[in-house]
Every structure is written in structure tokens, then in C-alpha cells.
Amino acid sequence: MKEDITVSELRGIPPENVMIIDIRDEAAFALGHIDNAVNISPERLSETQLPRDRDIVVCCRSGVISEDIAESLREQGYSAANLTGGYVRWLGEKIALQSSSDRAAEIERSITRKFHRSIFSKFAKALNEYELLKPGDRVAVCISGGKDSMLMAKLFQEIKRHRKFDFELVFLVMDPGYSSENRAIIEANAKLMGIPITVFETDIFNSVYNVQNNPCYLCARMRRGHLYNKARELGCNKIALGHHFDDVIETILMSVIYGGQVETMMPKLHSANFPGMQLIRPMYFIREDEIKHWARYNDLQFIQCACRFTDTCTTCNPDGAARSKRQVIKQLIARLSEENPQVVMNIFRSVENIKLNKIISYKLDGEVHSFLDGYKD
């Protein structure tokens, strides 16, 4: 087998003649992978018995890390090749092959039928309960290209189809410097799902590339600012982000454990830097597992992280030495939920049922209030 193999060449090889090893982390593999691939991390490869009578194709996100792994396997006597372009290129070609108006209709039907209770009703509940959408609104539905924001776009389309009042939607995609493959996948998925996106470009990735401390945090702040600015330019008064229920729960615990304060991800808030603009989170009640279920049911695959530097960035690897705090919290919640399935809802209710007379102190508009203020001896 030659050192590099293309996606087209891989499709022409009978599955029984090749072993496809996907070296990405488990979370990325679970969200989507090449048919018949097996997930083996680079660390576990050395202790895994691999077949010597079959060709081996090594795949990572975009063919960067896998190139070195394939070379190492060849030095050990295996017939191994690197998949050029990696999973991203394979996914792009798969989406292109299945695009049709029938697929878009199937995806829409799944939302109103199979996932009506677990997804659509919860989306509508958040809109109503938190008054996220009002007559005359022009909402910039911000799409990153992941499963959450793509589903949010479809849900907004469905709500508008059954609207009780007039509002407008702009499906906004900001390109902070995506690789051409990532950009192509986002555009292909939007076309497949019937989402008319508006794309604008920035150079955020280049701006944060050499930042040593918290580049991901800085990148997120800059992206938020660019989204607000473009949305306002397009006449929008709100931007919608695809944060879901699990994001809310994780944020509550992160604020307590790492921030030393009780704080949550709000369903809506006014922008501090863009007067008259609001941010809304209409996926507030939707569980992440249901979003994953919807994607699998419709055979939809999205990029977990569209950062240009993911293949060489350990902060994006949940199993690496520099695991993010959110990943630690996610795993903690999973362990606690094994013992008590009500843990997640209890965490959420804790920020709905705060008893101020049982709090030592709290802040309101920057002013500290103590229980001693009204305490009488």
C-alpha cells in the first residue's frame, strides 16, 4: 500500500481488505466517523495487536497527526497509509453525495414527528417561557457548523412555518479563518438541510494564533463581538446561540467549583457593548443526548470543532493533559448521574429556587448585600 491514500481510493477498497483506524478522541469519534472505522488513540496503538495480513489506513481530523502515525506503523512492518485530508475530507465528500431536496424534507419531518416531544416542544417552551421571540424581531441565528447550531436553525425554520406572529430570520455564519475543508462542510450541510446561510469572514484565528494564555477564551469573546456587529449591520435586534441544557448545567457547576460563585448561563441577556441588542438561547431545555440522537437518526455528521488548529492543539483534546474544565465537569456530572438520575435536574432547580434568607451574601447590580443587613438580635 502506498504512503497516502485519498478518500475516493478508500471507497474503492472492499471493507474486509482494510482496517481503518481513527485516532481522534472518543467524543469526536462518537459524533461521527468513517464507516467501519475503529477508534484507537495514539497512546493505545502501541499496545494493540494490529493485523499484518490487511492494509491499515490511519485517519485523524484532517490528515496531519495521522501522517506520522502511519509512518511509524510502516517502520514496524505494517502496510499502513495516511488518509489524505482525514475525516473532514471524507465527510465533505459524503455530504456532497447525499444532497437532495428529499433529504431536507426528511430532516424536517423528523423534527415535527419523531423528535416533537424531546426537541421541538422544548424549543417552543423556551421561546414562550422566557419570552425570547416577539413580534417584529429580526433574529440572527448564529451557525458555527456543529450539531447544536444546525439543529437550532431547522427549529427556527419550523417555528416560522407555524408562526403566530411575524418575525424575520437571518442564518449567520462567521468564518473566523476556517480551513477550506471545514468551510466546505458547513456550506454543504447547510445546503443539504435547506438552510439559506449568510457567510462573512474575519481573521480571528490568525489574531489569536500566537496568544499564550487562554487563546480559546479570547477567540470566543472576539467571535461573539463580530457576530453582534454583523447582526446589527444586517438590521437584527437579537442573536441566537445554540447552547443546550447540558451547557447550562455544566456552567452552574463550573461557576461554583472554579469561580467560587453561584451563576448560570442565562436564557437571554442584553448586550453590554451593543445597545439595543439581545442574546437568546432557545435550545435552553434541550438535552445534548437528544441532539445527538437526532443527528444519528438522520445520518447527519458535523465537525466537533472547526478550529483550524485542532489537530495540533491539546486544549481541544478532552483526553489530553490539558483537558478543559468543562470536560472535567461533564465527566463529574456523568459519574454523579449514575448514582442519582435526578442530579442534573436538581442542579438546574438550584438556580430557580434560591432562598435569599439562607444566603450569607449576594450581589445585585454590583452591590453586595449581606444577611446581616436585615438581621435583628
Side-chain angles (χ1 to χ4, degrees):
M1 174 172 267
K2 59 182 183 179
E3 295 182 1
D4 295 288
I5 186 172
T6 66
V7 172
S8 298
E9 290 171 334
L10 178 61
R11 292 185 190 279
I13 302 175
E16 62 272 14
N17 294 346
V18 65
M19 179 181 189
I20 304 172
I21 299 176
D22 189 325
I23 62 171
R24 296 175 301 148
D25 64 75
E26 292 181 6
F29 184 83
L31 281 176
H33 54 266
I34 297 174
D35 301 334
N36 303 311
V38 294
N39 188 210
I40 307 176
S41 68
E43 296 75 22
R44 286 171 42 222
L45 265 180
S46 60
E47 53 194 53
T48 303
Q49 190 69 35
L50 302 176
R52 294 187 178 272
D53 59 345
R54 296 167 66 192
D55 291 330
I56 296 174
V57 173
V58 187
C59 162
C60 69
R61 181 173 173 275
S62 56
V64 177
I65 299 176
S66 55
E67 186 173 10
D68 292 335
I69 300 294
E71 182 178 358
S72 175
L73 290 176
R74 287 194 298 273
E75 291 173 352
Q76 299 172 46
Y78 292 100
S79 174
N82 175 49
L83 181 63
T84 304
Y87 170 73
V88 170
R89 188 163 300 174
W90 176 87
L91 178 56
E93 292 194 16
K94 177 179 179 179
I95 295 170
L97 289 172
Q98 63 176 203
S99 295
S100 73
S101 58
D102 290 341
R103 286 286 286 120
E106 290 170 3
I107 294 166
E108 289 164 4
R109 280 195 297 270
S110 74
I111 290 173
T112 56
R113 295 180 185 179
K114 183 173 179 61
F115 296 96
H116 188 278
R117 178 179 294 182
S118 61
I119 291 179
F120 184 75
S121 291
K122 291 183 177 180
F123 186 81
K125 177 184 177 183
L127 291 178
N128 294 329
E129 189 163 318
Y130 297 127
E131 300 178 354
L132 304 183
L133 198 59
K134 294 189 175 181
D137 277 344
R138 183 172 170 85
V139 183
V141 182
C142 300
I143 299 174
S144 66
K147 66 185 190 318
D148 308 328
S149 59
M150 283 292 194
L151 172 58
M152 178 176 65
K154 293 307 297 180
L155 288 166
F156 263 117
Q157 285 182 322
E158 199 60 40
I159 286 290
K160 188 169 178 61
R161 196 171 287 125
H162 299 86
R163 66 181 183 271
K164 297 180 180 178
F165 52 80
D166 286 328
F167 63 92
E168 297 180 49
L169 299 172
V170 175
F171 300 99
L172 194 58
V173 175
M174 182 191 64
D175 183 344
Y178 293 141
S179 67
S180 58
E181 291 89 354
N182 282 337
R183 171 79 172 258
I185 286 176
I186 293 171
E187 292 174 340
N189 265 326
K191 181 180 179 181
L192 171 69
M193 298 171 65
I195 303 170
I197 58 175
T198 297
V199 183
F200 73 102
E201 299 176 354
T202 69
D203 62 350
I204 292 176
F205 283 172
N206 287 333
S207 299
V208 302
Y209 183 66
N210 293 315
V211 174
Q212 297 297 319
N213 297 320
N214 297 321
C216 296
Y217 172 78
L218 178 60
C219 179
R221 289 294 300 271
M222 292 179 69
R223 282 187 283 132
R224 183 78 56 84
H226 278 283
L227 285 169
Y228 267 124
N229 192 57
K230 187 64 178 182
R232 184 172 62 180
E233 179 185 313
L234 294 173
C236 299
N237 64 312
K238 293 178 178 177
I239 68 170
L241 301 183
H243 295 117
H244 48 65
F245 186 79
D246 295 75
D247 290 325
V248 176
I249 301 305
E250 291 158 16
T251 298
I252 296 170
L253 275 192
M254 286 176 67
S255 72
V256 173
I257 295 174
Y258 296 116
Q261 58 188 2
V262 178
E263 190 175 84
T264 188
M265 181 180 283
M266 298 299 289
K268 67 178 180 180
L269 50 88
H270 293 286
S271 171
N273 300 316
F274 295 85
M277 296 286 293
Q278 291 186 60
L279 181 154
I280 62 174
R281 295 184 171 101
M283 307 269 283
Y284 207 78
F285 292 132
I286 301 175
R287 296 300 306 268
E288 185 177 23
D289 281 345
E290 290 300 330
I291 300 174
K292 291 178 179 178
H293 185 192
W294 166 80
R296 287 194 302 269
Y297 179 83
N298 288 289
D299 192 25
L300 295 170
Q301 298 186 55
F302 307 97
I303 298 172
Q304 181 189 26
C305 175
C307 173
R308 185 200 301 168
F309 313 113
T310 301
D311 276 333
T312 54
C313 175
T314 56
T315 60
C316 296
N317 181 0
D319 298 319
R323 290 184 305 168
S324 71
K325 292 183 176 66
R326 188 169 291 276
Q327 285 294 335
V328 174
I329 293 298
K330 189 183 289 286
Q331 293 168 8
L332 172 62
I333 293 172
R335 289 197 300 271
L336 293 173
S337 296
E338 290 176 0
E339 301 176 6
N340 179 7
Q342 296 301 314
V343 160
V344 171
M345 284 307 304
N346 287 342
I347 294 172
F348 182 74
R349 292 191 183 106
S350 72
V351 294
E352 287 189 319
N353 299 314
I354 293 177
K355 299 179 180 179
L356 292 181
N357 63 335
K358 296 295 180 71
I359 295 294
I360 294 175
S361 66
Y362 67 92
K363 289 182 180 180
L364 181 62
D365 297 328
E367 183 179 348
V368 177
H369 299 265
S370 169
F371 82 101
L372 291 173
D373 295 343
Y375 189 84
K376 297 181 179 180
D377 292 326

